[in-house]
């Protein structure tokens, strides 16, 4: 099985676990003398089975991510860390850009005038550069996911 397929299965399992939780919660209490629509004990067994499968799959995915290297010798785990920090950096820079470009209207000439003290053009260029690096990193991770066999 390829890593990409395992990631898809992980996502499906996580969704199934959430659904099972909701179904269990909907059936743990009933009015006196009524029966639940579904047996919560059977649902709990299914939930446990899904959680065991998820734990095993996550372990195999993590092992694969640690051991799979790109051409520069970075593991998928390192690439994911790079992607996550790039995403965080871009979000912060976009918030700063938004604040810097937010116009402040003065209602009278007696109000204190505000001015931007950072280079907004340079900040915009940084955002574009980091965004390009993020896209490249994401594509590299995706490529490795489709080429790599799961450990």
């Amino acid at each position: 099985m390829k890593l990409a397929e395992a990631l898809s299965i992980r996502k499906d399992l996580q969704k199934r676990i959430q659904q099972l939780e909701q179904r269990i919660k909907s059936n743990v209490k009933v009015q006196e003398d009524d029966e639940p629509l579904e047996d919560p004990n059977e649902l709990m067994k299914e939930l446990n089975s899904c959680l065991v499968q998820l734990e095993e799959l996550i372990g195999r995915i993590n092992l694969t991510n640690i051991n799979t290297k790109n051409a520069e010798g970075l593991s998928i785990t390192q690439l994911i860390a790079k992607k996550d920090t790039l995403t965080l950096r871009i979000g912060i820079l976009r918030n700063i850009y938004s604040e810097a470009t937010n116009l402040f209207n003065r209602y009278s000439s007696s109000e204190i005038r505000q001015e931007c003290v950072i280079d907004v053009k340079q900040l915009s260029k940084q955002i574009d550069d980091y965004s390009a690096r993020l896209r490249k990193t994401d594509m590299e991770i995706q490529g490795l996911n489709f080429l790599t066999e799961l450990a």
Side-chain angles (χ1 to χ4, degrees):
M1 166 183 351
K2 297 290 185 191
L3 180 55
E5 183 181 355
L7 293 170
S8 178
I9 292 169
R10 180 187 68 182
K11 183 178 178 181
D12 289 344
L13 271 172
Q14 289 169 329
K15 188 174 187 177
R16 178 90 175 129
I17 288 166
Q18 288 176 338
Q19 291 170 344
L20 283 166
E21 178 187 7
Q22 290 305 313
R23 288 170 57 198
I24 293 167
K25 287 168 46 177
S26 297
N27 287 283
V28 292
K29 291 184 183 178
V30 294
Q31 288 185 350
E32 192 174 353
D33 298 324
D34 279 352
E35 294 290 322
L37 296 174
E38 297 181 89
D39 182 356
N41 295 312
E42 288 300 315
L43 293 172
M44 290 289 285
K45 288 178 187 174
E46 188 177 345
L47 174 65
N48 185 56
S49 173
C50 287
L51 288 166
V52 168
Q53 289 175 50
L54 181 64
E55 181 180 347
E56 179 188 335
L57 189 61
I58 289 172
R60 291 177 67 194
I61 289 168
N62 289 345
L63 186 61
T64 304
N65 285 346
I66 289 169
N67 292 320
T68 302
K69 310 277 188 207
N70 68 0
E72 290 82 35
L74 294 175
S75 69
I76 293 177
T77 300
Q78 290 170 303
L79 291 170
I80 291 170
K82 181 178 180 179
K83 177 184 169 187
D84 290 348
T85 54
L86 281 168
T87 300
L88 179 61
R89 181 187 302 269
I90 291 165
I92 291 168
L93 292 177
R94 283 185 175 147
N95 289 339
I96 293 168
Y97 179 86
S98 177
E99 186 65 30
T101 58
N102 188 13
L103 298 176
F104 178 76
N105 294 323
R106 295 186 326 169
Y107 295 103
S108 71
S109 60
S110 64
E111 286 187 73
I112 298 173
R113 184 178 159 176
Q114 291 184 338
E115 54 186 42
C116 186
V117 295
I118 64 170
D119 185 344
V120 175
K121 186 177 178 182
Q122 178 60 29
L123 183 59
S124 179
K125 184 180 177 340
Q126 281 182 334
I127 292 169
D128 291 343
D129 291 345
Y130 285 124
S131 295
R133 288 171 56 186
L134 175 62
R135 285 188 301 276
K136 181 179 181 258
T137 302
D138 188 50
M139 293 296 288
E140 187 170 11
I141 292 169
Q142 295 301 321
L144 289 168
N145 287 346
F146 281 98
L147 296 174
T148 304
E149 288 293 328
L150 188 64

